[in-house]
Amino acid sequence: VGGGIAGIVGCAISTRERVVDAGCAVTRLVSAILARNEADESRYLRRVIKRCQEFSDAVLVLDDGSTDGTAQVARDLGCVVAERSADSAWGAEAPARRELWERAATLADGGWVLICDADMVLRGDPRTLTDSWAVASWAWPLADVWNDESTARVDGPWGFGPRIPRPWLFRPSALQAAPVWSSRGVHCGHAPENFAVLGPSGVAPDDTYWLHLAYLKPEHRVAKHAQYMRIAGQLSEFERAHAASILDA
């Protein structure tokens, strides 16, 4: 079921060319986080923000209608905070992702935007990747850590994240057309669908990857499973298999 983090992410597919331009001016890097009800000390928002602040010029937190003071936690840590007035994004995700993208792109002012959730801690240094203008996005793997942060789940549908790099760091100004977003209510993507026309992402060095903490603790796995079951009708076959297996281990 599980495997050591270093060995797992080392198996990531890295077929795309890595190009970093020499002598480029430093550009802005904004980390953008969508968060809902993450204020409790048992959650990870504070840790995620502090980690993002180590390499970001600004951290934007879009609060998705929290009722627990999430927005104030982010303000107290020095983030740029916006609050959604609409209902929760869960099950109706695209509008929230669009708003996060638009606000972050404006804040980045022609620079780069790192999209993450409130339970994702980055390993590696994305700042060096922003020296490149040869690509419009950068990709790296994600490891769903399980019970402790040195072990990730890799069986069945869980093997996709640690082995297949996905784009997380974007240069929004590279997209000259109007952004087009998926209409899916869940897992609609972190970037507009038509961002793909700009070509393949660069693949970050092997020491760059996410620790996804959403499934780290048994009690959080129970809550996550229930969350998925509430929108089971919206899930693809792959997503249903993933959700159904949350409580298997």
Side-chain angles (χ1 to χ4, degrees):
V1 173
I5 294 292
I8 293 167
V9 299
C11 295
I13 296 173
S14 302
T15 58
R16 301 187 183 106
E17 183 181 5
R18 297 173 186 170
V19 182
V20 177
D21 298 338
C24 292
V26 174
T27 56
R28 281 180 62 78
L29 171 55
V30 172
S31 290
I33 303 167
L34 182 63
R36 176 179 171 83
N37 291 339
E38 299 286 346
D40 193 272
E41 292 286 352
S42 70
R43 301 296 300 171
Y44 309 104
L45 179 62
R46 293 169 181 82
R47 180 177 170 187
V48 170
I49 288 172
K50 290 175 183 178
R51 172 63 183 129
C52 287
Q53 288 173 331
E54 292 176 5
F55 53 75
S56 304
D57 296 295
V59 176
L60 167 68
V61 174
L62 178 58
D63 181 70
D64 185 32
S66 295
T67 58
D68 67 346
T70 290
Q72 191 58 52
V73 168
R75 288 191 185 94
D76 290 346
L77 289 172
C79 297
V80 177
V81 178
E83 297 182 64
R84 296 190 75 232
S85 56
D87 293 335
S88 168
W90 189 248
E93 188 175 340
R97 291 293 177 189
R98 182 187 307 115
E99 182 176 350
L100 183 69
W101 177 273
E102 291 172 352
R103 289 181 178 276
T106 299
L107 192 58
D109 190 23
W112 292 79
V113 171
L114 174 70
I115 303 291
C116 68
D117 292 336
D119 51 16
M120 295 164 61
V121 175
L122 187 63
R123 293 287 187 259
D125 181 12
R127 170 61 74 177
T128 60
L129 304 176
T130 65
D131 292 336
S132 174
W133 293 89
V135 296
S137 60
W138 286 95
W140 53 80
L142 174 148
D144 292 299
V145 293
W146 213 266
N147 295 328
D148 68 76
E149 294 184 22
S150 64
T151 304
R153 189 167 177 184
V154 296
D155 61 305
W158 301 88
F160 174 81
R163 295 192 173 98
I164 308 298
R166 287 175 283 170
W168 306 97
L169 180 62
F170 304 91
R171 184 160 48 88
S173 62
L175 184 63
Q176 298 301 306
V180 176
W181 288 87
S182 167
S183 59
R184 291 202 69 203
V186 64
H187 298 162
C188 66
H190 295 94
E193 287 187 317
N194 57 333
F195 204 86
V197 304
L198 298 175
S201 300
V203 176
D206 291 341
D207 64 353
T208 304
Y209 57 92
W210 289 115
L211 289 182
H212 189 207
L213 306 175
Y215 305 99
L216 176 62
K217 301 176 182 179
E219 61 270 27
H220 292 164
R221 297 199 286 268
V222 170
K224 197 73 171 177
H225 179 266
Q227 191 178 34
Y228 274 119
M229 292 303 100
R230 288 197 295 271
I231 58 163
Q234 298 189 42
L235 301 180
S236 67
E237 183 177 352
F238 176 88
E239 291 165 340
R240 285 195 296 273
H242 180 274
S245 68
I246 291 174
L247 301 182
D248 287 353

